[in-house]
Amino acid sequence: MGDVSISNGLTNSQRKSCWYEEEIEENLRWCFALKSILHTGASQYQDIQLLDTKPFGKALVIDGKLQSAEIDEFIYHESLVHPALLNHPNPKTIFIMGGGEGSTAREILRHKTVEKVIMCDIDEEVVDFCKSHLLVNKEAFYDPRLELVINDARAELERREEVYDVIIGDLADPIEGGPCYQLYTKSFYELVVKPRLSQGGIFVTQAGPAGIFSHTEVFSCIFNTLRQVFKYVVPYSAHIPSYADTWGWVMASDNPFTLNADELDQRIKQMIEGENRYLDGQTFTSSSTLSKAVRKSLDNETHIYTEGSARFIYGHGSNACKQH
Amino acid sequence: MGDVSISNGLTNSQRKSCWYEEEIEENLRWCFALKSILHTGASQYQDIQLLDTKPFGKALVIDGKLQSAEIDEFIYHESLVHPALLNHPNPKTIFIMGGGEGSTAREILRHKTVEKVIMCDIDEEVVDFCKSHLLVNKEAFYDPRLELVINDARAELERREEVYDVIIGDLADPIEGGPCYQLYTKSFYELVVKPRLSQGGIFVTQAGPAGIFSHTEVFSCIFNTLRQVFKYVVPYSAHIPSYADTWGWVMASDNPFTLNADELDQRIKQMIEGENRYLDGQTFTSSSTLSKAVRKSLDNETHIYTEGSARFIYGHGSNACKQH
Amino acid sequence: MGDVSISNGLTNSQRKSCWYEEEIEENLRWCFALKSILHTGASQYQDIQLLDTKPFGKALVIDGKLQSAEIDEFIYHESLVHPALLNHPNPKTIFIMGGGEGSTAREILRHKTVEKVIMCDIDEEVVDFCKSHLLVNKEAFYDPRLELVINDARAELERREEVYDVIIGDLADPIEGGPCYQLYTKSFYELVVKPRLSQGGIFVTQAGPAGIFSHTEVFSCIFNTLRQVFKYVVPYSAHIPSYADTWGWVMASDNPFTLNADELDQRIKQMIEGENRYLDGQTFTSSSTLSKAVRKSLDNETHIYTEGSARFIYGHGSNACKQH
Amino acid sequence: MGDVSISNGLTNSQRKSCWYEEEIEENLRWCFALKSILHTGASQYQDIQLLDTKPFGKALVIDGKLQSAEIDEFIYHESLVHPALLNHPNPKTIFIMGGGEGSTAREILRHKTVEKVIMCDIDEEVVDFCKSHLLVNKEAFYDPRLELVINDARAELERREEVYDVIIGDLADPIEGGPCYQLYTKSFYELVVKPRLSQGGIFVTQAGPAGIFSHTEVFSCIFNTLRQVFKYVVPYSAHIPSYADTWGWVMASDNPFTLNADELDQRIKQMIEGENRYLDGQTFTSSSTLSKAVRKSLDNETHIYTEGSARFIYGHGSNACKQH
């Protein structure tokens, strides 16, 4: 085995002999050449891996699903955090449902007005894993403004009395029977989230795949559910290379969202420390202007997430509502 | 082998035991479950396959690279064709460089004003293969307004004397040493394309990957080269799921592009037969509003494609400039 | 996409862009480059595919498990058939349990003494599929000495009164709860098979993987079960490249197996039409001389397949006992 | 992403989301689920990886080719070492060409008569890598009877004057133009190896794949070359699961090999410390009794490896003759 004439030919494929493989959906695979498997762990809820991949750098993988990749997680996290905080006149207190990875807190803490961030994730092991291994978020984890709570986000919001300027949902998708479903229902938004928003407060949530074909999985329903509860609802999306898809977010409030691209750029300059890598005024204009097909199905979406509509799947061994 | 207890478990993976695999880039693979391999062929320039894939339907594969997939090729072809034709007051004559697949012609022929379409592809076998196997384009191939020419696009444009209202580049990317490089150079645009455009004519070309990381491969250089030659240049992009990336196009003219989203929608109603599946006014607004990072590197791009700058790689066995 | 400089590099991988992939066991995959997917079908019991693979030629795949490959199925079928028939003084009547592929019948029918072969397979679609697509077995399927019966092998043997000189088990492995389990039990051998053997008759069965690690799955138990029922039992094995493993068979009778390598070679000359590609005297000596580890675990095996010992798994949707 | 309902389904595949993939030959892939990538290194000649795989345990991979796997390397190394040493009346001095992994030395050092072992490998980094990471061989590496030399095996044998009772070739296959080719030629055996063998000395070499299809690559030619030089030549083979093939060795001497299975078992008891896991008398009988097809092509092989017959391929960047 391995004479030079072959091995020369293989030196290249040798460098590619280890792969991370994910089934994005049944019948579709996405494979990254692996440099190394940095850390592996497990919580009572989930398996955790930190991989070093060639195309996307360090990748956090939970239960075999890529959560975020070093080279493009900023697209996801800047999109999740900044539009809501920028549209709030003076965001001081923020509540994160999930977000144990720390990147959402990192982006929030760049806002000069922010005084207090509650990060409420149910999985302590995941939080500890990210805290020790994701160096890019180390500073955020140790920021005095951050309060880390290990609990179910719904229980925590119900328990607490104070209100928040912005509440951010950084949770797994609302698959019926899934652990987070109940954190995407109309009654949850009405009875738990809205009461915890301060006057003029804003709610924003990750909203699953938003591609031309994939947006009907959950994106359109999250949008339609939120517009039952809030006066103003803004869906937006961005292509995230490591997800091999366009991703969606929905921002909602009872105050109108009035900033145009230029005003958004000014507020970015005023409010955010450091330079955004992804989001600016024009980027958000593009992100929040959906393509024809997606726009139409959002307009026409009639499904609303309610406890009733959830056909809970039994035997899931876990009701953990995981961080995204 | 194969008792039921195993095979039940496998019935699912059995349905997924055949895969199409493409290396999108070194270290990154994209794999589709296969229903069947419908047709395979070869020309003097290229290997051709028509596959039936589970996630993306029928897929045309040339030399191991996906060219277009049934379920989303409309995104690519509507984006390539309609913005240019809609921005022209009265497009009658169109010249396609490449486009042997037939989908570009199909979209052009939906425009009521169009009287004549020249499709100039160098690879007769590919054209014949698509003509007989891509039923969705059959009508276009037999449209009396279509004139099919088998020739090198540059030679053909030089040979001809008449001018065209719109010239469309539907060719492989301008990899230096690649077969199409010379069809993306400043001198080609200046000395061959521009003279063949009628007064107010528009040139548009596919421009390679335009993702947040991939846009520097060729997209920014094509843009920068075209802005040396034309007064008005509009780069735009769209995520194409089957490509696992965002794709780019650049439209150029010496007349300004003035239509806003509503005007675009009106012209679509007036000029195009049938309903667009992808493109409308807002979609184009979004597509042509590039995200911060892409916008910045396009602004700052200094590289210009010139014959000089091309380090031609020898021994390529083919100078064929393939259809996209 | 697809410029020459890339496509040249890819022409090779292009020829390898379609793959058949099988999970030999959890954590172990075996992948063949695909030329084409020749035929696909389905019966009430199983999914059927005939693939054309680059490394192993045409491959019959049932429920996602390779059944046999053109280039090396002769190893499996010569090993299954010839040792038993050669060790019988005058084999006239043969009963095949399963064997719907036709290759087992093909090898049997090469024996000059054979007057009648019953092939009893439960899955008519599989039989028809192989009959029409496996040209190498066409002659066998149309041999007047072959009687094809579509039935459960146990029911058929119980129904019939005549006896056979050789009974051959060409069935799926005895996975407990699997469809064929009951065709490998002590009681089946004692009460159904043995009574249907003529004086001096021989029973032989495929016996699953027999590799240094895999032989404990079923090979050693089949051996141990048969030695409870028959006076003389000979286990043997051979490496089959397309299975990526060594495979096993067990031959049993109440008459001793006395032929040495030279005598076996003589009988091959006398009794078999045409030339064996795999089996001869020395080959069988090697095959039936097991390596230390395998020999030891066969000697020490205590598990016996009994109806009682089978923990039947419910909800299998099928009790079909498939051909191997 | 990653809700429980999906993640449960994936927990399993999650545990299988990282894979080692090897192209055994063009068109044929062999993939192992990965637990972790333990160590990676590189020498001036080769890339080195120690992987922890699920199906085969720790695996040493050099230039993308599996060299040996924890769970079955004993088959390869016991087969390489013991038949030769057992057939020698009193093996005291042994020379290993290659063998830097240390497993060959480990097996040799189990022989009570052995007083001195020279391990001559050209790649110091590989030797150091294995010395520090392959714990199973640690004892061997520190055995006072082992003398480690970093040099080209041919140069070293030519340099030395003493003779050896057994010389063992544990090198890459003799691919023409490959680094080891010249260590498999008739002239090398005649002019370098044979003069370094003591009276009654034995030479043995790994001899590449020996499967029913793969044995013609090099196995039959090594056999045929050795029978030009030595009076008695014994080819033998064994299936090695992690190689997905049957592997071959050839043993040669001017003294006859006379031990039968029982005598071999007795000498194993007398001469070898500890228990063999693979090799015993019957195992060797089976291994050295080749199947019909392999036997025939060895008998009929006419190709002889000579310097002349080697069409050296240039530009290999390395003339390193690697350990197997």
Side-chain angles (χ1 to χ4, degrees):
Chain A
M1 291 164 82
D3 70 290
V4 164
S5 58
I6 286 172
S7 66
N8 281 10
L10 280 177
T11 301
N12 178 33
S13 64
Q14 187 272 348
R15 288 198 314 271
K16 301 190 299 180
S17 55
C18 296
W19 291 87
Y20 167 72
E21 172 184 295
E22 181 172 327
E23 281 197 9
I24 298 242
E25 56 184 68
E26 199 195 15
N27 301 326
L28 187 59
R29 285 184 185 163
W30 191 220
C31 309
F32 311 159
L34 266 181
K35 269 193 216 146
S36 61
I37 297 171
L38 294 171
H39 305 283
T40 58
S43 76
Q44 63 185 109
Y45 306 119
Q46 319 172 73
D47 291 312
I48 319 163
Q49 292 179 301
L50 187 65
L51 307 176
D52 193 1
T53 76
K54 294 207 173 91
F56 298 114
K58 294 192 178 53
L60 180 69
V61 174
I62 292 189
D63 284 341
K65 303 284 288 177
L66 177 70
Q67 298 301 305
S68 75
E70 188 179 12
I71 73 161
D72 63 10
E73 56 91 359
F74 68 89
I75 301 175
Y76 174 90
H77 293 103
E78 290 190 10
S79 298
L80 175 64
V81 168
H82 299 317
L85 269 71
L86 292 166
N87 275 281
H88 190 285
N90 183 24
K92 291 196 169 113
T93 57
I94 319 291
F95 187 97
I96 311 169
M97 307 191 288
E101 175 187 327
S103 306
T104 298
R106 179 196 68 214
E107 292 302 317
I108 293 166
L109 291 163
R110 291 176 53 211
H111 284 256
K112 299 169 183 163
T113 59
V114 168
E115 295 168 357
K116 183 176 182 195
V117 180
I118 316 290
M119 181 205 294
C120 179
D121 198 288
I122 198 159
D123 194 330
E124 185 156 26
E125 286 82 358
V126 166
V127 174
D128 292 344
F129 186 95
C130 297
K131 197 168 172 176
S132 34
H133 298 310
L134 300 185
L135 304 178
V136 66
N137 297 338
K138 217 166 196 59
E139 208 176 307
F141 274 113
Y142 290 100
D143 189 302
R145 295 172 291 168
L146 179 68
E147 180 187 332
L148 175 58
V149 180
I150 301 300
N151 192 8
D152 171 77
R154 181 181 198 130
E156 187 64 19
L157 277 174
E158 285 167 341
R159 197 178 65 70
R160 290 176 168 255
E161 269 127 27
E162 79 268 34
V163 294
Y164 304 93
D165 299 323
V166 178
I167 297 177
I168 298 179
D170 189 11
L171 303 156
D173 295 344
I175 307 299
E176 296 190 347
C180 298
Y181 181 85
Q182 67 277 16
L183 299 179
Y184 288 89
T185 59
K186 179 161 180 273
S187 63
F188 174 66
Y189 292 140
E190 241 165 7
L191 308 175
V192 181
V193 171
K194 212 169 168 180
R196 297 264 73 75
L197 281 175
S198 57
Q199 170 60 27
I202 298 173
F203 173 71
V204 64
T205 180
Q206 80 87 15
I212 190 156
F213 304 119
S214 57
H215 71 278
T216 53
E217 292 170 21
V218 300
F219 183 53
S220 58
C221 302
I222 292 172
F223 166 76
N224 186 52
T225 302
L226 279 166
R227 73 177 163 183
Q228 312 300 316
V229 178
F230 292 93
K231 279 215 198 76
Y232 304 95
V233 180
V234 178
Y236 54 100
S237 68
H239 174 227
I240 300 181
S242 66
Y243 289 179
D245 205 352
T246 288
W247 210 255
W249 302 267
V250 182
M251 178 166 71
S253 177
D254 282 344
N255 281 21
F257 298 97
T258 59
L259 301 179
N260 64 26
D262 295 340
E263 293 162 333
L264 214 50
D265 284 331
Q266 283 165 33
R267 290 187 61 77
I268 287 171
K269 253 204 233 77
Q270 297 157 7
M271 295 175 62
I272 302 182
E273 289 188 357
E275 171 100 1
N276 284 355
R277 296 173 60 191
Y278 179 69
L279 196 93
D280 69 358
Q282 284 193 51
T283 303
F284 186 71
T285 302
S286 183
S287 288
S288 56
T289 307
L290 301 176
S291 72
K292 182 182 179 183
V294 178
R295 221 168 56 239
K296 290 242 181 305
S297 35
L298 261 60
D299 292 344
N300 302 333
E301 181 60 66
T302 58
H303 185 71
I304 296 169
Y305 287 133
T306 67
E307 304 299 347
S309 71
R311 299 174 293 282
F312 279 98
I313 296 157
Y314 294 109
H316 272 164
S318 161
N319 292 320
C321 185
K322 292 177 213 152
Q323 63 135 47
H324 176 74
Chain B
M1 292 164 78
D3 72 289
V4 164
S5 58
I6 286 174
S7 66
N8 280 9
L10 280 177
T11 301
N12 176 32
S13 63
Q14 186 272 347
R15 287 198 313 273
K16 301 190 299 180
S17 56
C18 295
W19 290 88
Y20 166 73
E21 172 183 297
E22 181 172 328
E23 282 198 10
I24 298 241
E25 55 184 68
E26 200 194 14
N27 302 325
L28 188 58
R29 285 184 187 162
W30 190 222
C31 310
F32 312 159
L34 267 182
K35 272 194 216 146
S36 61
I37 298 170
L38 294 171
H39 305 282
T40 58
S43 75
Q44 63 186 110
Y45 306 119
Q46 320 172 75
D47 291 314
I48 320 163
Q49 292 179 300
L50 187 66
L51 307 176
D52 195 2
T53 75
K54 293 207 174 90
F56 298 114
K58 294 192 179 51
L60 179 68
V61 173
I62 292 190
D63 283 341
K65 304 284 287 179
L66 177 69
Q67 298 301 305
S68 75
E70 188 178 11
I71 74 160
D72 63 9
E73 56 92 357
F74 69 87
I75 302 174
Y76 173 90
H77 293 103
E78 290 190 10
S79 297
L80 175 64
V81 168
H82 299 317
L85 269 69
L86 291 167
N87 274 281
H88 190 285
N90 183 24
K92 291 202 169 102
T93 57
I94 319 292
F95 187 96
I96 311 168
M97 307 191 288
E101 176 186 326
S103 306
T104 298
R106 179 196 68 216
E107 292 302 317
I108 293 166
L109 291 163
R110 292 177 52 211
H111 283 257
K112 299 170 184 164
T113 59
V114 168
E115 294 169 357
K116 184 179 181 193
V117 180
I118 315 290
M119 180 205 296
C120 177
D121 198 288
I122 198 158
D123 195 330
E124 186 156 26
E125 286 81 358
V126 165
V127 174
D128 292 344
F129 186 93
C130 298
K131 197 168 172 175
S132 33
H133 298 311
L134 301 185
L135 303 179
V136 66
N137 297 338
K138 215 163 197 62
E139 208 177 309
F141 274 114
Y142 289 100
D143 189 302
R145 295 171 291 168
L146 178 69
E147 179 187 334
L148 174 59
V149 181
I150 302 302
N151 192 7
D152 171 77
R154 180 180 199 130
E156 186 66 17
L157 277 174
E158 285 168 339
R159 197 180 64 70
R160 290 176 168 254
E161 268 126 29
E162 80 267 34
V163 293
Y164 304 93
D165 299 323
V166 179
I167 296 177
I168 298 179
D170 189 11
L171 302 156
D173 294 345
I175 308 300
E176 296 191 348
C180 299
Y181 181 85
Q182 65 278 16
L183 299 179
Y184 288 88
T185 59
K186 181 162 180 270
S187 64
F188 173 67
Y189 292 141
E190 243 166 6
L191 308 176
V192 182
V193 172
K194 214 169 166 179
R196 296 265 72 75
L197 282 175
S198 58
Q199 171 61 30
I202 298 173
F203 173 71
V204 64
T205 180
Q206 79 87 13
I212 191 156
F213 304 119
S214 56
H215 71 277
T216 53
E217 291 170 21
V218 300
F219 183 52
S220 58
C221 302
I222 292 172
F223 166 77
N224 186 52
T225 302
L226 279 166
R227 73 177 163 182
Q228 312 301 315
V229 179
F230 291 93
K231 279 214 197 76
Y232 304 95
V233 180
V234 179
Y236 54 101
S237 68
H239 174 228
I240 299 180
S242 66
Y243 290 179
D245 204 352
T246 289
W247 211 255
W249 302 266
V250 182
M251 178 166 72
S253 177
D254 282 345
N255 281 20
F257 297 97
T258 59
L259 301 180
N260 64 25
D262 295 340
E263 293 162 332
L264 214 50
D265 285 329
Q266 283 164 33
R267 289 186 63 77
I268 288 171
K269 250 202 235 82
Q270 297 157 7
M271 293 175 64
I272 301 183
E273 289 188 356
E275 172 100 1
N276 283 355
R277 296 174 60 191
Y278 179 70
L279 196 94
D280 70 357
Q282 285 194 51
T283 303
F284 187 71
T285 302
S286 182
S287 288
S288 56
T289 307
L290 301 175
S291 72
K292 181 181 179 184
V294 178
R295 220 168 56 238
K296 290 243 181 304
S297 36
L298 261 59
D299 292 345
N300 302 333
E301 181 60 66
T302 58
H303 185 71
I304 296 169
Y305 288 133
T306 66
E307 303 300 345
S309 71
R311 300 173 294 281
F312 279 100
I313 296 156
Y314 294 109
H316 272 165
S318 162
N319 291 322
C321 185
K322 293 179 211 150
Q323 64 134 46
H324 175 74
Chain C
M1 291 165 80
D3 71 290
V4 164
S5 57
I6 287 173
S7 66
N8 280 9
L10 280 178
T11 300
N12 178 32
S13 64
Q14 186 272 346
R15 286 198 314 273
K16 301 189 301 179
S17 55
C18 296
W19 291 87
Y20 166 73
E21 172 183 296
E22 181 171 329
E23 282 198 7
I24 299 241
E25 55 184 68
E26 200 194 14
N27 302 325
L28 188 58
R29 285 183 185 164
W30 191 221
C31 310
F32 312 158
L34 267 181
K35 271 194 217 147
S36 61
I37 298 171
L38 294 171
H39 305 282
T40 58
S43 76
Q44 64 187 109
Y45 306 119
Q46 318 171 77
D47 291 312
I48 320 163
Q49 292 179 300
L50 187 66
L51 307 176
D52 193 2
T53 74
K54 293 205 175 92
F56 297 114
K58 294 192 178 54
L60 180 69
V61 173
I62 292 190
D63 282 341
K65 304 285 287 178
L66 176 70
Q67 298 301 305
S68 75
E70 188 178 14
I71 74 162
D72 63 9
E73 55 92 359
F74 69 89
I75 302 175
Y76 174 88
H77 292 103
E78 290 191 9
S79 298
L80 175 64
V81 168
H82 300 316
L85 268 71
L86 292 166
N87 274 281
H88 189 287
N90 184 23
K92 292 198 167 107
T93 57
I94 319 291
F95 187 97
I96 311 169
M97 306 190 289
E101 175 185 327
S103 306
T104 298
R106 178 197 69 214
E107 291 303 315
I108 293 166
L109 290 164
R110 291 177 53 211
H111 283 256
K112 300 169 184 165
T113 58
V114 168
E115 294 169 357
K116 184 177 181 193
V117 181
I118 315 290
M119 180 205 296
C120 178
D121 198 287
I122 198 160
D123 194 331
E124 186 156 25
E125 286 81 358
V126 166
V127 175
D128 291 344
F129 185 93
C130 297
K131 197 168 171 177
S132 33
H133 299 309
L134 300 185
L135 303 179
V136 66
N137 297 337
K138 222 172 192 55
E139 209 176 308
F141 274 112
Y142 290 100
D143 190 301
R145 294 171 292 168
L146 178 70
E147 179 187 333
L148 175 58
V149 181
I150 300 302
N151 192 8
D152 171 76
R154 181 179 197 130
E156 186 66 18
L157 277 174
E158 284 168 342
R159 195 179 65 70
R160 291 179 167 252
E161 269 127 29
E162 80 267 34
V163 294
Y164 305 93
D165 300 323
V166 178
I167 297 177
I168 297 179
D170 190 11
L171 304 155
D173 295 345
I175 308 299
E176 296 190 348
C180 299
Y181 181 85
Q182 67 277 15
L183 298 179
Y184 287 89
T185 59
K186 181 160 178 274
S187 63
F188 174 67
Y189 292 141
E190 242 165 5
L191 308 175
V192 182
V193 171
K194 213 168 168 181
R196 297 263 72 76
L197 281 175
S198 58
Q199 170 61 27
I202 298 173
F203 173 71
V204 64
T205 180
Q206 80 86 16
I212 191 156
F213 304 119
S214 57
H215 71 279
T216 53
E217 293 169 21
V218 298
F219 183 53
S220 58
C221 301
I222 293 172
F223 166 76
N224 186 52
T225 303
L226 279 165
R227 73 177 163 183
Q228 312 300 316
V229 179
F230 292 93
K231 280 214 197 78
Y232 303 95
V233 180
V234 179
Y236 54 100
S237 68
H239 173 228
I240 300 180
S242 66
Y243 290 1
D245 204 352
T246 288
W247 211 254
W249 302 266
V250 183
M251 176 167 71
S253 176
D254 282 346
N255 281 19
F257 298 97
T258 59
L259 301 179
N260 64 26
D262 294 342
E263 293 162 334
L264 214 51
D265 284 330
Q266 283 165 33
R267 289 186 61 78
I268 287 171
K269 250 203 234 80
Q270 296 156 8
M271 293 175 63
I272 302 182
E273 288 188 358
E275 172 98 3
N276 283 354
R277 295 174 60 191
Y278 179 70
L279 196 94
D280 71 355
Q282 285 194 51
T283 303
F284 188 71
T285 302
S286 181
S287 289
S288 56
T289 306
L290 302 175
S291 72
K292 182 183 178 182
V294 177
R295 220 168 56 240
K296 290 241 183 303
S297 34
L298 262 61
D299 292 345
N300 302 332
E301 181 60 66
T302 57
H303 185 71
I304 296 169
Y305 287 134
T306 66
E307 303 299 345
S309 71
R311 298 174 296 281
F312 279 99
I313 296 157
Y314 294 110
H316 272 166
S318 161
N319 292 320
C321 186
K322 293 176 211 152
Q323 63 135 47
H324 174 73
Chain D
M1 291 165 81
D3 70 289
V4 165
S5 59
I6 286 173
S7 66
N8 279 11
L10 279 178
T11 300
N12 177 31
S13 65
Q14 187 272 347
R15 286 199 312 274
K16 301 188 301 178
S17 56
C18 296
W19 291 87
Y20 166 72
E21 172 183 296
E22 181 172 329
E23 282 198 9
I24 299 240
E25 56 184 68
E26 200 195 13
N27 302 325
L28 187 59
R29 286 183 184 163
W30 191 220
C31 309
F32 311 158
L34 267 181
K35 271 193 217 149
S36 60
I37 298 171
L38 295 171
H39 305 281
T40 59
S43 75
Q44 64 187 109
Y45 307 118
Q46 318 172 75
D47 291 313
I48 319 165
Q49 292 178 300
L50 187 65
L51 307 175
D52 194 1
T53 75
K54 292 204 175 93
F56 298 114
K58 295 192 177 53
L60 179 69
V61 174
I62 293 190
D63 284 342
K65 304 285 287 177
L66 176 70
Q67 297 302 305
S68 76
E70 189 178 12
I71 73 161
D72 63 8
E73 56 91 359
F74 69 88
I75 302 175
Y76 174 89
H77 292 104
E78 290 191 11
S79 297
L80 174 65
V81 168
H82 300 317
L85 268 70
L86 291 167
N87 275 280
H88 189 286
N90 184 25
K92 291 200 168 107
T93 57
I94 319 291
F95 188 96
I96 311 169
M97 307 190 289
E101 175 185 328
S103 306
T104 298
R106 178 196 68 215
E107 291 303 317
I108 293 166
L109 291 164
R110 292 176 53 211
H111 283 257
K112 300 169 183 165
T113 58
V114 168
E115 295 169 356
K116 184 178 181 193
V117 180
I118 315 291
M119 180 204 296
C120 179
D121 198 288
I122 198 160
D123 195 330
E124 186 156 26
E125 286 82 359
V126 166
V127 174
D128 292 344
F129 185 94
C130 297
K131 198 168 170 177
S132 33
H133 298 310
L134 300 186
L135 303 178
V136 66
N137 297 338
K138 216 165 196 60
E139 207 177 309
F141 274 113
Y142 290 100
D143 190 301
R145 294 172 292 169
L146 179 69
E147 180 188 331
L148 174 58
V149 181
I150 302 300
N151 192 7
D152 171 76
R154 181 180 197 132
E156 187 64 18
L157 277 174
E158 284 167 342
R159 195 179 65 71
R160 290 176 169 256
E161 266 127 27
E162 80 267 32
V163 293
Y164 305 93
D165 299 323
V166 178
I167 296 177
I168 297 180
D170 189 11
L171 303 156
D173 295 343
I175 309 298
E176 296 191 347
C180 299
Y181 182 85
Q182 68 277 15
L183 299 179
Y184 288 89
T185 59
K186 181 161 179 270
S187 64
F188 174 68
Y189 292 140
E190 242 166 5
L191 307 176
V192 182
V193 172
K194 214 169 167 181
R196 298 264 70 77
L197 283 175
S198 58
Q199 171 60 29
I202 298 173
F203 173 71
V204 64
T205 181
Q206 80 86 16
I212 192 156
F213 304 119
S214 56
H215 70 277
T216 53
E217 293 170 20
V218 298
F219 184 53
S220 57
C221 301
I222 292 171
F223 166 77
N224 185 52
T225 303
L226 278 165
R227 74 178 162 181
Q228 313 301 315
V229 179
F230 292 93
K231 277 213 198 76
Y232 304 95
V233 181
V234 179
Y236 55 100
S237 68
H239 174 228
I240 300 180
S242 65
Y243 290 180
D245 204 353
T246 288
W247 210 254
W249 301 267
V250 182
M251 177 166 71
S253 176
D254 282 345
N255 282 19
F257 298 96
T258 59
L259 302 179
N260 63 27
D262 295 340
E263 293 162 331
L264 214 50
D265 285 329
Q266 284 164 33
R267 289 186 63 77
I268 287 171
K269 252 203 233 78
Q270 297 156 10
M271 294 175 64
I272 302 183
E273 289 187 356
E275 171 101 1
N276 284 355
R277 296 175 60 192
Y278 179 70
L279 196 93
D280 71 355
Q282 284 194 51
T283 304
F284 187 71
T285 301
S286 182
S287 289
S288 57
T289 307
L290 301 174
S291 72
K292 182 182 178 183
V294 177
R295 222 168 55 240
K296 290 243 182 304
S297 37
L298 262 59
D299 293 345
N300 302 334
E301 181 59 66
T302 58
H303 185 71
I304 296 169
Y305 288 134
T306 65
E307 303 299 345
S309 72
R311 300 174 294 280
F312 280 99
I313 296 156
Y314 294 109
H316 273 165
S318 161
N319 293 320
C321 186
K322 293 178 214 149
Q323 63 133 48
H324 174 71

